[in-house]
């Protein structure tokens, strides 16, 4: 079976839009959001949603949140900032502590964050929701998009499929992060990914 080209699919959806729709974009951090915003801002009225209870510490969470807020202010883009709610992440990954990076634990984490994004999109009347998570070459874009579609059906909100690492998106995010002097971490955010990256 041929894999779906989610980048091509996003391009087709965007080219078919008759007006600028409201899109709530979940962001894991400011650096990852840079290239994604660049791709979307011409076609959508964007609001960034910073919800990341998977962070390994409140210090890391707040540092990334501050960078996200600063970048959005500089870009004149609305941002919704959540508090540090680590217990929500801990609840969904109980028993999955020994899963390999990219396995069932990550799947639960993707679902948690996308589900919350869809709820927020529904609450505030956004037409679409999406996530910056697919900009990372370490993330399974196919899995993320499958989860996105499942959640969209659950909440009755349109999901915008993406694979932001395509068309040089990941490299562009590094470039834009340097240009904007953003704090750029070397791990996903959770304690497990931190250990994984040290191996």
């Amino acid at each position: 079976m041929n894999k779906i080209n989610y980048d091509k699919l996003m391009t087709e959806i965007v080219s078919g839009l008759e007006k600028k729709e409201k899109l709530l974009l979940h962001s894991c951090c400011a650096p990852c959001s840079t290239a994604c915003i660049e791709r979307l801002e011409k076609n959508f009225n964007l609001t960034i949603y910073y919800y990341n209870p998977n962070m390994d510490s409140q210090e890391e969470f707040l540092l990334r949140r501050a960078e996200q807020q600063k970048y959005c202010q500089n870009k004149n883009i609305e941002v919704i900032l959540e508090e540090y709610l680590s217990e929500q992440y801990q609840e969904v990954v109980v028993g999955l502590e020994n899963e390999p990076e990219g396995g069932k634990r990550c799947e639960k984490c993707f679902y948690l964050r996308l589900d919350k994004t869809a709820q927020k999109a529904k609450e505030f009347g956004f037409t679409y929701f999406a996530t910056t998570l697919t900009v990372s070459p370490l993330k399974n874009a196919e899995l993320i998009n499958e989860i996105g579609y499942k959640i969209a059906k659950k909440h009755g909100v349109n999901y915008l499929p993406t694979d932001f690492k395509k068309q040089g998106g990941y490299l562009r995010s590094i470039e834009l992060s340097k240009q904007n002097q953003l704090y750029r971490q070397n791990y996903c955010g959770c304690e497990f990914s931190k250990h994984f990256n040290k191996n």
Side-chain angles (χ1 to χ4, degrees), residues 48-74:
I48 301 301
Y49 182 46
Y50 182 82
Y51 168 69
N52 298 292
N54 59 312
M55 294 295 133
D56 64 329
S57 69
Q58 186 171 31
E59 181 183 13
E60 181 69 22
F61 175 87
L62 292 174
L63 180 54
R64 295 191 195 195
R65 190 176 74 167
E67 288 292 274
Q68 186 70 76
Q69 185 175 27
K70 179 180 74 175
Y71 186 71
C72 287
Q73 285 175 342
N74 290 341

Side-chain angles (χ1 to χ4, degrees), residues 4-196:
I4 298 171
N5 186 330
Y6 289 104
D7 184 63
K8 183 180 178 183
L9 189 54
M10 183 189 86
T11 301
E12 289 171 355
I13 291 170
V14 169
S15 65
L17 295 175
E18 296 180 358
K19 63 175 183 176
K20 264 193 168 187
E21 299 287 358
K22 289 177 64 182
L23 185 148
L24 185 64
L25 180 65
H26 164 263
S27 177
C28 53
C29 62
C32 284
S33 74
T34 56
C36 304
I37 289 170
E38 189 174 67
R39 283 284 305 274
L40 297 171
E41 61 185 343
K42 294 176 185 175
N43 301 101
F44 293 95
N45 289 317
L46 284 178
T47 296
I48 301 301
Y49 182 46
Y50 182 82
Y51 168 69
N52 298 292
N54 59 312
M55 294 295 133
D56 64 329
S57 69
Q58 186 171 31
E59 181 183 13
E60 181 69 22
F61 175 87
L62 292 174
L63 180 54
R64 295 191 195 195
R65 190 176 74 167
E67 288 292 274
Q68 186 70 76
Q69 185 175 27
K70 179 180 74 175
Y71 186 71
C72 287
Q73 285 175 342
N74 290 341
K75 293 283 294 180
N76 198 27
I77 291 175
E78 286 190 36
V79 59
I80 299 172
L81 303 167
E82 290 287 2
E83 297 301 317
Y84 184 51
L85 304 167
S86 62
E87 66 280 358
Q88 295 181 356
Y89 171 73
Q90 296 300 330
E91 284 174 12
V92 302
V93 299
V94 168
L96 300 172
E97 293 84 359
N98 295 319
E99 278 285 308
E101 187 69 8
K104 296 271 186 196
R105 185 182 60 250
C106 293
E107 184 176 342
K108 290 280 189 181
C109 181
F110 298 155
Y111 192 97
L112 173 67
R113 291 190 279 172
L114 281 168
D115 190 62
K116 184 76 170 179
T117 305
Q119 289 178 43
K120 194 67 70 171
K122 181 85 171 179
E123 180 184 350
F124 290 104
F126 287 87
T127 310
Y128 287 90
F129 75 98
T131 180
T132 64
L133 289 169
T134 63
V135 80
S136 170
L138 299 176
K139 298 287 185 294
N140 184 337
E142 188 173 5
L143 174 61
I144 292 166
N145 282 294
E146 286 174 0
I147 291 170
Y149 277 122
K150 188 183 296 184
I151 288 170
K153 190 174 181 181
K154 173 184 172 184
H155 292 290
V157 182
N158 295 312
Y159 172 71
L160 183 70
T162 66
D163 194 350
F164 285 120
K165 63 180 159 288
K166 299 290 186 181
Q167 301 187 47
Y170 176 65
L171 294 176
R172 181 61 176 156
S173 72
I174 295 173
E175 183 182 351
L176 288 169
S177 296
K178 288 178 180 176
Q179 286 178 14
N180 290 276
Q181 299 181 317
L182 296 173
Y183 160 68
R184 189 170 173 273
Q185 65 292 331
N186 64 354
Y187 69 109
C188 172
C190 74
E191 59 180 299
F192 307 103
S193 64
K194 197 171 190 177
H195 299 320
F196 173 78

